[in-house]
Amino acid sequence: MRAARLIKMVLLLQARPAMTAAELAAELEVSERTITRDAQALSEAGVPVYADRGRTGGYRLIGGYRTRLTGLGRSEAEALFLSGVPGALREMGLADAASAARLKVSAALMPSLRDASQSASQRFHLDAPGWFQDTPAPELLPAVADAVWDDRRVRARYRRQDTEVERELEPYGLVLKAGVWYLCARVPESGAYRVYRIDRFTAVDADEERFVRDEEFDLPGFWDERAAQFARGILRAEVVVRLTEAGVRRLPHATDAVSVREALESAGEPDATGRVTVTLPVENEDVAYTQLLSLGPEVEVVAPAGLRARFADAAARAAELYR
């Protein structure tokens, strides 16, 4: 941890003319005494850190000192920030760029730190897809990723139900959600931002001319908002169920988080048998049947009557099977 802190301290001093011990301590979340020791360690390692004494004093780098983190190409530098998601890098066609960037950074570090990338990769790994899924990367993902990096408009054809639609899009960002790639893009005609599944694209042609990005666009915030809208938007029906204590615990594993949260927030007190009655938002009765059937005897469907009848029939057939 200290090595990472020393590197950050050098980069902070490189980016600013001077910083006080208090400012460095706040940035690095350590004490001012630790800053004094770190400055001495850097000086002993050959980094020209100079300390100005006095009330207005501080630390600065002398002689125009710069770290040797140079020579990175644009694609390498961009890929470096994604190096924690190697699978995503491969799918976007950036694995080679990330590898080159890591080698250049490693070569610029002190010898004692050059195993940092290997050390980190053996301790932290992000596996984005969900369990029991083998989702192949969309064939057109690299072309879309190139357009996103370069801010180039694209003319895309994509499948919408049983038809194909052509749209001109300004690709703002990519999102990998549960193994599925999505494009967040602005439609120039309307100025609206929309989300597209990349595996539904059948053709993508990038223009030579770049578009001007809206600097206020926030990709994480936009995605969170749209994801919440989508999750709530598909819940167009409701079922009333009675759950045992075990059923309440297992409900989050049977249906989506939005539905569970709304149901449990409005739940009343347990009845004499210990069951809790909740109103559960669902996509439709067929989906509710499939999801709630996994709870077995821990759930009793109260309404609608048609769904309750289906559960009664399933219970009767199961009882006959095991009699």
Side-chain angles (χ1 to χ4, degrees), residues 128-211:
W131 287 105
F132 314 118
Q133 295 182 3
D134 184 17
T135 307
E139 182 179 348
L140 295 175
L141 175 60
V144 176
D146 285 345
V148 169
W149 286 123
D150 292 340
D151 294 336
R152 297 188 187 275
R153 284 188 179 183
V154 298
R155 186 163 295 278
R157 292 186 63 83
Y158 68 96
R159 297 186 301 274
R160 189 170 67 183
Q161 297 179 345
D162 297 330
T163 62
E164 280 197 0
V165 180
E166 185 171 301
R167 287 283 186 273
E168 186 176 13
L169 302 173
E170 296 176 349
Y172 266 64
L174 292 169
V175 175
L176 177 60
K177 170 71 171 179
V180 179
W181 284 95
Y182 296 88
L183 172 67
C184 300
R186 183 169 62 182
V187 181
E189 294 178 354
S190 63
Y193 293 93
R194 295 180 180 173
V195 177
Y196 302 86
R197 277 185 62 142
I198 294 181
D199 58 7
R200 293 179 182 169
F201 285 138
T202 59
V204 174
D205 295 313
D207 293 343
E208 289 299 322
E209 186 178 351
R210 288 182 169 87
F211 66 89

Side-chain angles (χ1 to χ4, degrees), residues 34-104:
T34 298
I35 294 298
T36 301
R37 290 197 295 264
D38 285 353
Q40 182 177 351
L42 287 171
S43 181
E44 292 173 353
V47 179
V49 177
Y50 180 78
D52 290 317
R53 305 297 180 185
R55 182 179 301 175
T56 60
Y59 294 92
R60 59 187 174 89
L61 296 175
I62 61 176
Y65 177 83
R66 307 288 294 178
T67 64
R68 292 184 294 154
L69 294 173
T70 57
L72 290 179
R74 180 175 180 83
S75 63
E76 295 169 346
E78 291 168 336
L80 186 61
F81 288 99
L82 294 172
S83 58
V85 283
L89 284 169
R90 286 194 300 271
E91 293 178 1
M92 288 190 292
L94 293 172
D96 290 342
S99 177
R102 286 193 295 268
L103 286 173
K104 290 181 179 181

Side-chain angles (χ1 to χ4, degrees), residues 204-271:
V204 174
D205 295 313
D207 293 343
E208 289 299 322
E209 186 178 351
R210 288 182 169 87
F211 66 89
V212 178
R213 293 179 65 92
D214 179 357
E215 295 301 327
E216 295 184 359
F217 178 79
D218 173 29
L219 180 60
F222 170 78
W223 175 259
D224 288 345
E225 179 183 344
R226 289 303 174 90
Q229 290 176 358
F230 173 78
R232 189 61 187 87
I234 64 173
L235 303 176
R236 300 185 179 93
E238 290 183 343
V239 299
V240 180
V241 298
R242 297 173 67 236
L243 298 163
T244 64
E245 184 178 346
V248 171
R249 291 197 305 269
R250 289 168 52 186
L251 187 62
H253 303 287
T255 187
D256 62 275
V258 173
S259 178
V260 172
R261 183 172 60 251
E262 290 191 17
L264 296 184
E265 284 177 352
S266 61
E269 295 296 323
D271 61 18

Side-chain angles (χ1 to χ4, degrees), residues 118-135:
Q118 177 70 11
S119 174
S121 66
Q122 294 304 316
R123 287 168 172 79
F124 302 98
H125 176 68
L126 175 62
D127 184 10
W131 287 105
F132 314 118
Q133 295 182 3
D134 184 17
T135 307

